[in-house]
Amino acid sequence: MSERSSLYEYFTNKLPIDNSKKIYFEKISLNSIEEMHNYSVDIRLYEYLEYSPFKSLEDTKSYLLKLLNRMKIKNGEANSNYWFVRASKTKTLIGTACLINLNFDRQSIEWGYGIDPKLWGKGYILKIQEALKCYVFETLRLNRLYGTTFITNKRTINSLLASGMQYEGKLKDMYCKKGEFIDGWAYAMLKKDYMISKSSISKNGRKEIEEIIRVISTVLKEIKINEESSMENIIEWDSINHMAIILKINEEFEIQLKPKDIAEATSVSKIYKIINRGKID
């Protein structure tokens, strides 16, 4: 089997895998249309999408049929794949993910994902991102993963930067929502950068807890931060500010926290333990 045939064989038949086993992927189908429709009527899901919220089951069905059509194999090749994403513990459908525009010659592919707004801030997006990156760079062995989002989508942009994606530029008037043109925020990750991100967190020395408090305080400026501070007891430490904190820690300490670490770094004490894991005074 040729390298090209092998790639499309993997892309068609193999699913992304979440190594933490918190979520799992399955091919989209009309069998789960009602489950998808249950969260597809939530208007929060469409804040950074160009089309209108689904109102009827027929709207959701029409959308799924479009995705299924894009997945059809043509001339022995497929360039797009869409999956449902489920929570492993409950088997509940939490969202969708996709890889589209597979280009064999350029060894590149584009991604996309979305989850039930009721589950935002629960760490599922980080799991989806990591599973897709592993699939792209380790299973498909491609060189470039890329995407775009609204330049105003700060929540997503922060999560992308924290996951290791790099900003590539502004795409002027890329989107049009309700007659208004909006710039796009283009980003990408290369295989070499992905492999670097899998290595040790940092080669720098041990960090004191006071240093961590100082960094978090630069993000949560109006809040008194101490050793007991966490996402549970500080309302302002929400999912958006969490990503801002992670980015600031990466920058200040010249490290790259892994997705698993980002999901666990929900308090001052936990961040201290993660950063200093394996280090000696």
Side-chain angles (χ1 to χ4, degrees):
M1 183 180 292
S2 69
E3 182 181 352
R4 189 183 189 103
S5 298
S6 178
L7 171 64
Y8 287 106
E9 176 72 17
Y10 279 131
F11 188 50
T12 303
N13 297 309
K14 286 187 176 290
L15 300 174
I17 296 174
D18 169 36
N19 291 325
S20 73
K21 302 187 186 324
K22 299 292 185 182
I23 60 172
Y24 66 92
F25 295 70
E26 64 180 31
K27 285 288 185 71
I28 65 163
S29 71
L30 294 178
N31 295 335
S32 301
I33 185 173
E34 292 187 2
E35 286 183 276
M36 181 178 180
H37 183 67
N38 286 338
Y39 71 79
S40 293
V41 295
D42 191 323
I43 61 174
R44 292 175 294 174
L45 188 64
Y46 301 85
E47 182 178 4
Y48 298 108
L49 296 175
E50 293 175 284
Y51 48 88
S52 301
F54 299 160
K55 295 181 179 180
S56 67
L57 191 62
E58 194 61 33
D59 290 338
T60 306
K61 180 179 179 180
S62 177
Y63 177 74
L64 275 174
L65 287 172
K66 288 180 182 178
L67 302 188
L68 289 167
N69 185 58
R70 294 174 189 170
M71 292 170 60
K72 288 181 177 179
I73 298 174
K74 299 174 183 177
N75 300 318
E77 297 179 353
N79 69 359
S80 296
N81 235 331
Y82 294 82
W83 300 280
F84 285 137
V85 183
R86 293 185 180 274
S88 298
K89 189 173 182 179
T90 63
K91 313 299 182 186
T92 306
L93 181 65
I94 64 170
T96 59
C98 70
L99 289 171
I100 60 175
N101 299 323
L102 170 60
N103 188 311
F104 178 82
D105 296 319
R106 295 177 178 175
Q107 293 290 291
S108 68
I109 201 164
E110 182 178 1
W111 73 354
Y113 47 80
I115 68 169
D116 184 342
K118 294 192 296 293
L119 301 174
W120 287 353
K122 303 293 185 181
Y124 286 118
I125 287 295
L126 295 172
K127 302 297 183 186
I128 293 172
Q129 288 175 336
E130 187 63 11
L132 290 180
K133 286 190 296 182
C134 180
Y135 183 76
V136 167
F137 295 120
E138 297 189 39
T139 300
L140 301 182
R141 299 182 181 180
L142 298 176
N143 181 62
R144 185 171 186 267
L145 173 63
Y146 67 95
T148 60
T149 187
F150 284 52
I151 204 164
T152 51
N153 190 357
K154 302 302 182 185
R155 182 193 305 111
T156 294
I157 289 172
N158 280 343
S159 76
L160 291 167
L161 291 172
S163 73
M165 289 290 177
Q166 296 184 17
Y167 174 57
E168 292 198 324
K170 180 170 68 175
L171 305 176
K172 293 185 177 180
D173 288 356
M174 179 177 180
Y175 299 103
C176 185
K177 186 176 179 67
K178 296 181 180 179
E180 178 186 357
F181 289 103
I182 303 168
D183 293 338
W185 194 86
Y187 60 91
M189 173 179 280
L190 300 181
K191 184 177 181 179
K192 63 181 181 180
D193 297 320
Y194 168 77
M195 299 309 294
I196 291 173
S197 72
K198 290 188 66 180
S199 62
S200 60
I201 290 178
S202 174
K203 295 181 180 179
N204 295 336
R206 187 177 182 86
K207 304 301 176 185
E208 299 301 329
I209 203 161
E210 290 78 14
E211 295 179 85
I212 295 167
I213 291 173
R214 174 185 60 78
V215 172
I216 295 175
S217 297
T218 64
V219 177
L220 305 177
K221 297 179 180 179
E222 306 299 322
I223 309 300
K224 181 68 175 178
I225 303 298
N226 57 47
E227 293 184 24
E228 305 299 322
S229 298
S230 71
M231 292 186 77
E232 292 184 359
N233 57 36
I234 295 182
I235 296 176
E236 291 79 5
W237 192 339
D238 55 16
S239 58
I240 296 178
N241 279 330
H242 181 60
M243 288 304 175
I245 288 169
I246 296 300
L247 289 173
K248 197 68 177 177
I249 286 172
N250 286 348
E251 177 186 344
E252 289 282 331
F253 298 151
E254 297 182 352
I255 62 177
Q256 182 65 52
L257 293 181
K258 301 175 185 178
K260 178 178 181 293
D261 299 320
I262 294 172
E264 294 177 355
T266 57
S267 69
V268 170
S269 60
K270 288 180 179 179
I271 292 173
Y272 174 78
K273 290 177 182 178
I274 289 169
I275 291 178
N276 292 309
R277 190 180 293 148
K279 297 194 175 78
I280 302 174
D281 288 320

PDB file of all heavy atoms in Angstrom, residues 4 13 18 21 134 139 193 199 239-240 246 262 264 275:
ATOM      1  N   ARG A   4       0.263   7.379   0.335  1.00  0.00           N
ATOM      2  CA  ARG A   4      -0.971   8.148   0.157  1.00  0.00           C
ATOM      3  C   ARG A   4      -2.199   7.291   0.513  1.00  0.00           C
ATOM      4  O   ARG A   4      -3.086   7.743   1.239  1.00  0.00           O
ATOM      5  CB  ARG A   4      -1.057   8.638  -1.292  1.00  0.00           C
ATOM      6  CG  ARG A   4      -2.196   9.629  -1.547  1.00  0.00           C
ATOM      7  CD  ARG A   4      -2.271  10.008  -3.013  1.00  0.00           C
ATOM      8  NE  ARG A   4      -3.201  11.096  -3.227  1.00  0.00           N
ATOM      9  CZ  ARG A   4      -2.851  12.355  -3.435  1.00  0.00           C
ATOM     10  NH1 ARG A   4      -1.576  12.686  -3.462  1.00  0.00           N
ATOM     11  NH2 ARG A   4      -3.765  13.294  -3.632  1.00  0.00           N
ATOM     12  N   ASN A  13     -10.819   5.207   8.616  1.00  0.00           N
ATOM     13  CA  ASN A  13     -11.223   4.137   9.536  1.00  0.00           C
ATOM     14  C   ASN A  13     -10.799   4.289  10.991  1.00  0.00           C
ATOM     15  O   ASN A  13     -11.418   3.684  11.875  1.00  0.00           O
ATOM     16  CB  ASN A  13     -10.700   2.797   9.007  1.00  0.00           C
ATOM     17  CG  ASN A  13     -11.299   2.445   7.662  1.00  0.00           C
ATOM     18  OD1 ASN A  13     -12.514   2.480   7.495  1.00  0.00           O
ATOM     19  ND2 ASN A  13     -10.458   2.126   6.689  1.00  0.00           N
ATOM     20  N   ASP A  18      -8.683   9.754  23.155  1.00  0.00           N
ATOM     21  CA  ASP A  18      -8.318  10.565  24.319  1.00  0.00           C
ATOM     22  C   ASP A  18      -7.589   9.667  25.312  1.00  0.00           C
ATOM     23  O   ASP A  18      -8.185   8.745  25.885  1.00  0.00           O
ATOM     24  CB  ASP A  18      -9.574  11.156  24.957  1.00  0.00           C
ATOM     25  CG  ASP A  18      -9.293  11.792  26.312  1.00  0.00           C
ATOM     26  OD1 ASP A  18      -8.213  12.391  26.466  1.00  0.00           O
ATOM     27  OD2 ASP A  18     -10.155  11.679  27.212  1.00  0.00           O
ATOM     28  N   LYS A  21      -8.988   9.007  28.710  1.00  0.00           N
ATOM     29  CA  LYS A  21     -10.210   8.187  28.738  1.00  0.00           C
ATOM     30  C   LYS A  21     -11.415   8.926  29.306  1.00  0.00           C
ATOM     31  O   LYS A  21     -12.389   8.300  29.760  1.00  0.00           O
ATOM     32  CB  LYS A  21      -9.977   6.880  29.512  1.00  0.00           C
ATOM     33  CG  LYS A  21      -8.852   6.014  28.942  1.00  0.00           C
ATOM     34  CD  LYS A  21      -8.791   4.680  29.630  1.00  0.00           C
ATOM     35  CE  LYS A  21      -7.620   3.818  29.223  1.00  0.00           C
ATOM     36  NZ  LYS A  21      -7.184   3.863  27.861  1.00  0.00           N
ATOM     37  N   CYS A 134      -2.879  14.655  18.722  1.00  0.00           N
ATOM     38  CA  CYS A 134      -2.222  13.351  18.716  1.00  0.00           C
ATOM     39  C   CYS A 134      -2.582  12.578  17.444  1.00  0.00           C
ATOM     40  O   CYS A 134      -1.718  11.955  16.807  1.00  0.00           O
ATOM     41  CB  CYS A 134      -2.630  12.567  19.956  1.00  0.00           C
ATOM     42  SG  CYS A 134      -1.880  10.935  20.077  1.00  0.00           S
ATOM     43  N   THR A 139      -0.861   9.684  14.455  1.00  0.00           N
ATOM     44  CA  THR A 139      -1.544   8.653  13.668  1.00  0.00           C
ATOM     45  C   THR A 139      -1.442   8.945  12.174  1.00  0.00           C
ATOM     46  O   THR A 139      -0.992   8.103  11.397  1.00  0.00           O
ATOM     47  CB  THR A 139      -3.024   8.544  14.077  1.00  0.00           C
ATOM     48  OG1 THR A 139      -3.110   8.203  15.463  1.00  0.00           O
ATOM     49  CG2 THR A 139      -3.728   7.474  13.255  1.00  0.00           C
ATOM     50  N   ASP A 193       6.755  21.393  16.618  1.00  0.00           N
ATOM     51  CA  ASP A 193       6.351  22.098  17.836  1.00  0.00           C
ATOM     52  C   ASP A 193       5.518  21.189  18.737  1.00  0.00           C
ATOM     53  O   ASP A 193       5.609  21.273  19.963  1.00  0.00           O
ATOM     54  CB  ASP A 193       5.561  23.355  17.475  1.00  0.00           C
ATOM     55  CG  ASP A 193       6.396  24.347  16.681  1.00  0.00           C
ATOM     56  OD1 ASP A 193       7.584  24.519  17.015  1.00  0.00           O
ATOM     57  OD2 ASP A 193       5.873  24.936  15.722  1.00  0.00           O
ATOM     58  N   SER A 199       7.557  17.097  25.545  1.00  0.00           N
ATOM     59  CA  SER A 199       8.722  16.873  26.403  1.00  0.00           C
ATOM     60  C   SER A 199       8.480  17.446  27.790  1.00  0.00           C
ATOM     61  O   SER A 199       7.398  17.903  28.110  1.00  0.00           O
ATOM     62  CB  SER A 199       9.967  17.499  25.765  1.00  0.00           C
ATOM     63  OG  SER A 199       9.805  18.893  25.633  1.00  0.00           O
ATOM     64  N   SER A 239     -13.335  30.059  33.408  1.00  0.00           N
ATOM     65  CA  SER A 239     -12.606  29.359  32.348  1.00  0.00           C
ATOM     66  C   SER A 239     -11.810  30.318  31.465  1.00  0.00           C
ATOM     67  O   SER A 239     -10.719  29.975  30.998  1.00  0.00           O
ATOM     68  CB  SER A 239     -13.577  28.557  31.478  1.00  0.00           C
ATOM     69  OG  SER A 239     -14.567  29.392  30.902  1.00  0.00           O
ATOM     70  N   ILE A 240     -12.324  31.530  31.264  1.00  0.00           N
ATOM     71  CA  ILE A 240     -11.609  32.503  30.428  1.00  0.00           C
ATOM     72  C   ILE A 240     -10.351  32.980  31.142  1.00  0.00           C
ATOM     73  O   ILE A 240      -9.252  32.981  30.572  1.00  0.00           O
ATOM     74  CB  ILE A 240     -12.514  33.702  30.085  1.00  0.00           C
ATOM     75  CG1 ILE A 240     -13.705  33.239  29.235  1.00  0.00           C
ATOM     76  CG2 ILE A 240     -11.723  34.778  29.329  1.00  0.00           C
ATOM     77  CD1 ILE A 240     -14.678  34.346  28.893  1.00  0.00           C
ATOM     78  N   ILE A 246      -2.889  30.572  32.668  1.00  0.00           N
ATOM     79  CA  ILE A 246      -1.981  29.566  32.099  1.00  0.00           C
ATOM     80  C   ILE A 246      -1.002  30.223  31.132  1.00  0.00           C
ATOM     81  O   ILE A 246       0.210  29.951  31.162  1.00  0.00           O
ATOM     82  CB  ILE A 246      -2.768  28.457  31.380  1.00  0.00           C
ATOM     83  CG1 ILE A 246      -3.646  27.684  32.362  1.00  0.00           C
ATOM     84  CG2 ILE A 246      -1.819  27.511  30.642  1.00  0.00           C
ATOM     85  CD1 ILE A 246      -2.892  27.006  33.482  1.00  0.00           C
ATOM     86  N   ILE A 262      -2.926  21.624  32.332  1.00  0.00           N
ATOM     87  CA  ILE A 262      -3.808  22.792  32.286  1.00  0.00           C
ATOM     88  C   ILE A 262      -5.143  22.480  32.946  1.00  0.00           C
ATOM     89  O   ILE A 262      -5.697  23.279  33.696  1.00  0.00           O
ATOM     90  CB  ILE A 262      -4.018  23.252  30.829  1.00  0.00           C
ATOM     91  CG1 ILE A 262      -2.699  23.762  30.246  1.00  0.00           C
ATOM     92  CG2 ILE A 262      -5.080  24.347  30.757  1.00  0.00           C
ATOM     93  CD1 ILE A 262      -2.741  24.064  28.759  1.00  0.00           C
ATOM     94  N   GLU A 264      -5.681  20.336  35.229  1.00  0.00           N
ATOM     95  CA  GLU A 264      -5.514  20.079  36.665  1.00  0.00           C
ATOM     96  C   GLU A 264      -5.092  21.320  37.447  1.00  0.00           C
ATOM     97  O   GLU A 264      -5.229  21.359  38.674  1.00  0.00           O
ATOM     98  CB  GLU A 264      -4.460  18.981  36.876  1.00  0.00           C
ATOM     99  CG  GLU A 264      -4.874  17.617  36.353  1.00  0.00           C
ATOM    100  CD  GLU A 264      -3.776  16.580  36.528  1.00  0.00           C
ATOM    101  OE1 GLU A 264      -2.663  16.962  36.966  1.00  0.00           O
ATOM    102  OE2 GLU A 264      -4.016  15.410  36.213  1.00  0.00           O
ATOM    103  N   ILE A 275       4.200  22.599  38.440  1.00  0.00           N
ATOM    104  CA  ILE A 275       5.414  23.259  37.943  1.00  0.00           C
ATOM    105  C   ILE A 275       6.668  22.661  38.554  1.00  0.00           C
ATOM    106  O   ILE A 275       7.706  22.511  37.879  1.00  0.00           O
ATOM    107  CB  ILE A 275       5.360  24.775  38.228  1.00  0.00           C
ATOM    108  CG1 ILE A 275       4.283  25.434  37.361  1.00  0.00           C
ATOM    109  CG2 ILE A 275       6.707  25.439  37.975  1.00  0.00           C
ATOM    110  CD1 ILE A 275       4.128  26.907  37.601  1.00  0.00           C
TER     111      ILE A 275
END
